Amino acid sequence: MNSASAEQIAPVVIVGAGPGGLAAACTLAAAGTPVSVIDESAQSGGRVWAGSMQAASAQVRHYLSKRGALDHPLIRYLPASRVLAADAQRLLVEIPAGTQHISYKNLILATGARELQMPFEGWTLPGVLGAGGLQLMAKAGMDLTGKRVVVAGTGPLLLAAAVTARHAGAHIVRISELAPRARIAQFAGALMRYPDRLWQALKLQAALGWTHLRAGEQLIAARGNAWVDHVLLQDRHGVQHRVTCDFLAVSFGLVPNIELAALLGCQLRTGADQFLAVAVNEHAQTSIPNIYAVGESSGIGGKMKALAQGEAAALHLLGHAPSNALQKRLRAELGYEALLAQCFAIRPKELPALSPQTLICRCEDVPWQTVCESPNWREAKLQSRCGMGHCQGRYCSAALRVLKGTLSTDWREPIFPCRLESLAQLPTAMESTTPM
Ligand SMILES: Cc1cc2nc3c(=O)[nH]c(=O)nc-3n(C[C@H](O)[C@H](O)[C@H](O)COP(=O)(O)OP(=O)(O)OC[C@H]3O[C@@H](n4cnc5c(N)ncnc54)[C@H](O)[C@@H]3O)c2cc1C
């Protein structure tokens, strides 16, 4: 099928089948409301459960199943389908067999986040991966037996990625955390208010055995010829350490996926981590009344925040008031979001200086020296092709936000690279409407 198929109208469409989208879908379906859930992945679960609901903790599985079976007949799931564009009435979705227009009355954006990839010397070498990327590959069955892995960057994802790699057979030689000890201690202390996360952190530490987490350590460089063979790390006393490895897994945090909300004209806000997130009220409702944004798209706060906001959005749509318990959970999770930003948002002064040749945009091979003087994102693009490649600036614009404070605001459809036949649907896709 090359052309867009017949229009469908759904009372509620959810984009994203991670914790936020699933919580909303279950709550709506349990109340008798049909809901369509679209996700680019082949299976539901979002980034954290990566296609396997079995990976969800017993607590979370209990939570979701209590709110309606995940395979509820009122939940229509469209896997392997990407929303490329949106307007006030409908979405253009690239499905495996072509494209499809889906009209909606209400829209819940549960589009999650992507990894923040900060450049450093050698970051494009084979063997250097995003920590979440390594996690996904390990969960998909990659055998890391005997491989020496260094995990570096900042935030709770470091421990989670290290444990997943270890389960796949890796030898974790170092976990290098950029945040200084004082901020790690502050985070650990605050986890007393989040016993589930404290317990999870202790379990992760226990699973890692004697691997030490070094706080206040900078990742200086990854080096090797055809493949990374060692990394240079600088401790808080300024001493450099050469650590031999087969893989370097890096995580500097997450960046909310706000492109769809931005295309739709929803109001955005700058989060405490300096990235744009969708502005929402206590019901997860955006500035456009029939559009909601739940989970990471409204600020990086983890899966429990996504679950609570998904439920709150669904209840508001159904016209029900949230229970006191849900309101309390929401407040606590927003507190956790603030805590994450306070402890792990990266500060440019804590990063090592970049050499002029370090690539900023790996799609178009643009080095730091070409963009460091650009006054804004637009100039950087026009003068250097930064952000004009395959990822359309999804990664380098976030890095430049940290390094230079520049903000990318040129949202355009399609929000993902797509097939030529889908591209051909774009102008017509948003012009004519043929409701079912
Ligand atoms: C790479 C990575 C690894 C992570 N690992 C862990 C971990 O080990 N432990 C942990 O506690 N947390 C982890 N997190 C954080 C965790 O994923 C989130 O806290 C949680 O999943 C948030 O749920 P969500 O519903 O907001 O978004 P997500 O779970 O990210 O779900 C968003 C979904 O939306 C889909 N989507 C986005 N845009 C579109 C579109 N246009 N069309 C169709 N589908 C779309 C995506 O495919 C995705 O499935 C990780 C995050 C990332 C990015």
Side-chain angles (χ1 to χ4, degrees):
M1 185 177 79
N2 281 333
S3 62
S5 67
E7 189 91 10
Q8 304 182 8
I9 293 185
V12 185
V13 173
I14 299 175
V15 185
L22 288 177
C26 290
T27 309
L28 287 160
T33 302
V35 48
S36 299
V37 184
I38 305 169
D39 199 296
E40 60 175 324
S41 305
Q43 285 170 299
S44 61
R47 293 289 174 257
V48 63
W49 299 319
S52 161
M53 288 306 297
Q54 290 316 309
S57 68
Q59 182 199 7
V60 168
R61 280 205 301 277
H62 175 69
Y63 171 94
L64 289 174
S65 59
K66 228 175 64 182
R67 282 156 179 81
L70 288 172
D71 53 358
H72 198 289
L74 288 177
I75 300 179
R76 177 175 167 249
Y77 184 46
L78 279 86
S81 302
R82 265 183 169 178
V83 179
L84 299 177
D87 70 14
Q89 281 92 37
R90 58 187 187 156
L91 310 173
L92 174 66
V93 188
E94 185 176 72
I95 57 174
T99 52
Q100 191 172 10
H101 298 156
I102 298 184
S103 289
Y104 60 87
K105 279 193 186 141
N106 298 287
L107 184 63
I108 299 180
L109 301 172
T111 47
R114 55 182 174 269
E115 288 191 275
L116 167 62
Q117 294 188 353
M118 291 305 299
F120 54 90
E121 184 196 323
W123 71 289
T124 55
L125 259 183
V128 180
L129 304 166
L134 183 73
Q135 238 188 343
L136 283 179
M137 285 156 79
K139 284 181 188 174
M142 181 183 181
D143 183 11
L144 292 170
T145 305
K147 301 291 182 204
R148 293 158 301 178
V149 175
V150 172
V151 184
T154 190
L157 191 53
L158 297 186
L159 283 189
V163 169
T164 312
R166 196 180 158 110
H167 284 153
H171 171 48
I172 308 297
V173 287
R174 182 85 143 221
I175 302 175
S176 178
E177 165 62 63
L178 183 64
R181 276 183 187 179
R183 290 215 303 271
I184 301 296
Q186 181 194 354
F187 182 69
L191 281 191
M192 302 297 258
R193 297 200 299 272
Y194 303 94
D196 57 322
R197 271 144 272 192
L198 180 61
W199 176 235
Q200 194 190 11
L202 291 173
K203 273 201 315 196
L204 291 176
Q205 272 294 347
L208 286 167
W210 293 105
T211 313
H212 291 300
L213 186 141
R214 312 277 174 107
E217 206 168 60
Q218 278 183 339
L219 172 57
I220 304 291
R223 297 208 176 130
N225 289 324
W227 191 273
V228 62
D229 60 33
H230 70 275
V231 294
L232 282 185
L233 301 162
Q234 182 167 295
D235 69 23
R236 61 203 169 95
H237 306 296
V239 179
Q240 289 203 356
H241 303 264
R242 184 185 194 278
V243 182
T244 309
C245 64
D246 303 302
F247 285 97
L248 167 63
V250 189
S251 170
F252 283 102
L254 301 175
V255 183
N257 289 330
I258 48 130
E259 289 72 13
L260 260 187
L263 266 188
L264 286 160
C266 299
Q267 199 180 323
L268 305 175
R269 67 176 177 97
T270 305
D273 58 5
Q274 73 187 301
F275 294 114
L276 288 177
V278 188
V280 294
N281 64 15
E282 69 274 27
H283 308 294
Q285 191 178 30
T286 70
S287 55
I288 302 176
N290 66 332
I291 302 180
Y292 296 74
V294 305
E296 309 287 46
S297 62
S298 71
I300 305 302
K303 58 182 177 280
M304 300 313 281
K305 176 202 160 207
L307 288 170
Q309 274 189 324
E311 193 178 337
L315 289 175
H316 192 254
L317 256 170
L318 292 165
H320 301 328
S323 64
N324 286 342
L326 177 59
Q327 289 182 36
K328 199 171 152 206
R329 264 173 55 213
L330 275 167
R331 278 195 299 275
E333 295 308 332
L334 292 177
Y336 187 67
E337 177 184 319
L339 178 69
L340 284 177
Q342 212 179 349
C343 297
F344 298 114
I346 58 173
R347 285 89 166 143
K349 64 177 172 22
E350 289 174 359
L351 294 170
L354 287 178
S355 88
Q357 293 78 34
T358 304
L359 288 185
I360 296 293
C361 169
R362 66 190 302 171
C363 302
E364 292 291 319
D365 286 346
V366 180
W368 174 231
Q369 64 188 358
T370 315
V371 287
C372 62
E373 298 298 333
S374 300
N376 54 45
W377 171 247
R378 191 174 158 71
E379 285 301 313
K381 273 179 90 169
L382 289 175
Q383 287 167 13
S384 68
R385 290 196 54 78
C386 184
M388 308 262 274
H390 182 77
C391 87
Q392 287 289 294
R394 284 167 75 81
Y395 292 96
C396 56
S397 69
L400 282 183
R401 175 71 177 151
V402 175
L403 294 169
K404 283 172 57 70
T406 53
L407 197 56
S408 149
T409 50
D410 50 351
W411 326 111
R412 269 184 302 167
E413 55 195 37
I415 60 165
F416 286 115
C418 62
R419 297 190 293 263
L420 269 180
E421 68 217 55
S422 308
L423 205 57
Q425 292 298 325
L426 278 176
T428 48
M430 296 294 132
E431 275 166 23
S432 63
T433 306
T434 6
M436 261 189 346

